[in-house]
Amino acid sequence: MQQVTRKKLAAGVNLTCVTTPKFKRAVIRAVLLLPLGGPDAALRACLPHVLRRGTRRLPDLRAIGAELDELYGARIEAVVRREGEHVAVGFLSDCIDESCAPGADGLTAGVIRLLAELLCDPYTQDGVFCPDYTAGERENLIDRIAAQKNDPRSWAPLRLTQLMCADEAYGQPVYGTKEQAEKITENKLYAAYRRALEQAQIELFYCGPLAAEAVEGLFAGTPLTQPRTNAGTLPPTVVLAQPKGDAREIIEEEAVTQGKLSLGFRTGGASLTGGDAAAYWMFQTLYGGSTSSKLFLNVREKQSLCYYASAQFIASKGIMMVNSGIENDKFAVARDEILRQLDACRAGDITDAEIDGARRTLITNWGAMLDDPLTLERYWLGQAAAGTLISPEERIAQVTAVDRARIVAAAQTTALDTVYFMKGAGE
């Protein structure tokens, strides 16, 4: 049985602790949660990668690697994630549960100390970040930004997000822009680091066998919980219940062999923080969230209008996306059939088998989450960013109670905002 606790350790510092004897490895996370976008966007995306290169005590990757070897092969990775209209930058670690290894007493404490050291006591030269480390990670960031377009299946929904939410923080790129990245220097990066450390909401996480009180004590002895004078409250993610105007249709030509069709919808306010989220998950799953959904069976299988078709409920923002891969000449008919299946849901053209299938899919997915500490970490960071504390078990109970009327109501609150078609060029 998992026990989840969340506690404020200091101003702007929160610890979420999942205590369970189920796993043989512990997952630990320390991130700065900051507003998405803005002039520091690329700097913040670059920051954890530079911090990961060295600390004052361990000035290079070789020294850090030797320390991790001493910690029974613990792993620490840089994190840059979108969470609603916030960005999380910092570190994620997993290590063996010290009860499973003879002589490993204090292993968890050692990993926590190293995470705090990486985030709060970096390697510097002349009072700023190392120029060589900064230059290397600046080029890596430029490459990551450029590489986003190399996978059209991922780029199309990202591009839709930029267009659909152009006037909202959610539409800002999580890595910043290439132009921002090219201007990164060791001085600018260190100044952005000091701003982030002072202003961010710090989110700490532990999943493993230790009791919450013990974990709290381990974090309390690190710089992560020291008082900060400017730590503030993050603005909440803005959820628009309906589009601001008429639905838009945008077509862009790219050098792709297969067209990518993405449709963005507003959910009527259903999100992590409002509306009937449980009913919306049921609707989205029934509509396009599984291999037994309407989009998969009708648009893909029966009519062969696309190579893939699926719907995703982005609960952190209160939007739904349908993504599909199509031939260029099937754009209009595929778009219309996707919308026709939505109309069927709105009209209540839903079978008991479809409802049962959607419910089983959600219960299975949330149940599987309880068996994966890394997935739990991602789940609870999303909850923390939204300011909620609803467990996967509670989500299962919620969707179990959803009936047909609530599913139809969720479909009826759905409004098309933007259609984006990435058309294969030269055809």
Side-chain angles (χ1 to χ4, degrees):
M1 181 66 180
Q2 295 180 355
Q3 181 180 359
V4 181
T5 59
R6 181 166 168 81
K7 186 173 182 180
K8 180 179 178 180
L9 302 187
V13 183
N14 304 295
L15 169 64
T16 302
C17 188
V18 180
T19 299
T20 173
K22 192 171 188 177
F23 309 119
K24 294 183 179 180
R25 299 189 69 83
V27 170
I28 308 167
R29 176 244 298 147
V31 297
L32 308 177
L33 205 57
L34 294 150
L36 185 65
D40 282 357
L43 291 162
R44 291 169 177 172
C46 186
L47 180 59
H49 297 279
V50 171
L51 292 173
R52 180 64 176 77
R53 298 282 290 266
T55 72
R56 183 164 55 88
R57 182 175 65 91
L58 306 167
D60 54 35
L61 289 175
R62 178 175 294 183
I64 292 174
E67 181 90 350
L68 291 172
D69 288 342
E70 290 293 321
L71 294 170
Y72 286 70
R75 296 182 297 174
I76 294 181
E77 298 178 356
V79 168
V80 181
R81 293 184 195 158
R82 181 197 303 268
E83 296 292 345
E85 291 184 340
H86 311 111
V87 61
V89 296
F91 300 102
L92 174 67
S93 174
D94 72 313
C95 61
I96 192 169
D97 172 15
E98 53 197 76
S99 67
C100 298
D105 293 347
L107 172 60
T108 305
V111 172
I112 288 175
R113 283 195 300 269
L114 181 53
L115 283 174
E117 195 175 336
L118 286 166
L119 201 56
C120 300
D121 195 13
Y123 174 68
T124 59
Q125 293 180 357
D126 299 323
V128 296
F129 287 121
C130 169
D132 288 343
Y133 292 175
T134 303
E137 295 305 335
R138 178 183 62 233
E139 295 308 309
N140 289 340
L141 176 60
I142 292 171
D143 290 343
R144 280 195 295 274
I145 292 171
Q148 293 178 108
K149 295 188 70 172
N150 292 342
D151 181 2
R153 185 164 179 168
S154 298
W155 175 248
L158 187 59
R159 181 64 179 141
L160 170 64
T161 298
Q162 295 173 355
L163 295 166
M164 178 176 170
C165 304
D167 298 328
E168 304 161 66
Y170 194 78
Q172 299 302 305
V174 70
Y175 294 144
T177 65
K178 178 184 177 184
E179 291 72 23
Q180 287 177 329
E182 289 172 339
K183 296 176 183 178
I184 292 174
T185 66
E186 57 271 19
N187 298 77
K188 291 180 180 178
L189 186 61
Y190 191 77
Y193 164 67
R194 299 307 307 177
R195 288 193 295 272
L197 204 59
E198 279 294 312
Q199 300 168 6
Q201 179 176 310
I202 297 179
E203 285 296 331
L204 310 174
F205 175 87
Y206 169 84
C207 179
L210 293 181
E213 294 80 7
V215 176
E216 179 185 343
L218 297 178
F219 276 110
T222 72
L224 290 168
T225 59
Q226 296 303 307
R228 293 175 297 141
T229 56
N230 296 324
T233 302
L234 282 176
T237 295
V238 176
V239 175
L240 299 182
Q242 299 295 325
K244 292 181 179 179
D246 294 337
R248 299 176 299 158
E249 191 167 281
I250 300 168
I251 299 175
E252 294 180 340
E253 290 195 354
E254 297 285 352
V256 295
T257 57
Q258 182 189 103
K260 306 297 179 185
L261 172 60
S262 294
L263 292 80
F265 302 85
R266 304 289 177 171
T267 65
S271 67
L272 288 179
T273 56
D276 193 348
Y280 210 91
W281 261 302
M282 283 288 290
F283 153 65
Q284 167 262 320
T285 306
L286 182 153
Y287 176 51
S290 75
T291 54
S292 61
S293 67
K294 287 186 177 294
L295 292 184
F296 187 89
L297 292 180
N298 294 298
V299 184
R300 181 186 186 276
E301 295 293 292
K302 292 182 180 179
Q303 300 191 44
S304 299
L305 293 176
C306 56
Y307 300 101
Y308 62 89
S310 63
Q312 178 187 12
F313 174 31
I314 305 172
S316 61
K317 176 58 179 169
I319 60 178
M320 183 179 71
M321 288 190 185
V322 171
N323 297 302
S324 63
I326 63 173
E327 296 293 340
N328 282 345
D329 60 0
K330 292 185 178 179
F331 163 61
V333 66
R335 175 202 60 203
D336 293 347
E337 185 59 27
I338 289 169
L339 294 174
R340 195 184 75 79
Q341 294 301 322
L342 173 59
D343 286 338
C345 294
R346 289 169 172 158
D349 182 10
I350 299 170
T351 68
D352 291 341
E354 288 174 325
I355 294 174
D356 291 342
R359 203 185 318 273
R360 283 195 304 271
T361 295
L362 289 168
I363 291 173
T364 297
N365 290 346
W366 276 315
M369 190 178 294
L370 301 173
D371 296 326
D372 184 350
L374 288 170
T375 305
L376 282 171
E377 181 274 325
R378 186 65 186 256
Y379 175 87
W380 285 111
L381 180 56
Q383 295 292 300
T388 58
L389 194 65
I390 300 175
S391 69
E393 294 98 328
E394 291 175 287
R395 293 295 184 199
I396 289 173
Q398 288 175 350
V399 299
T400 299
V402 172
D403 59 16
R404 176 189 298 272
R406 288 170 62 189
I407 296 172
V408 173
Q412 291 173 344
T413 64
T414 301
L416 179 64
D417 186 299
T418 303
V419 176
Y420 173 68
F421 180 40
M422 181 190 294
K423 181 181 180 181
E427 293 188 21

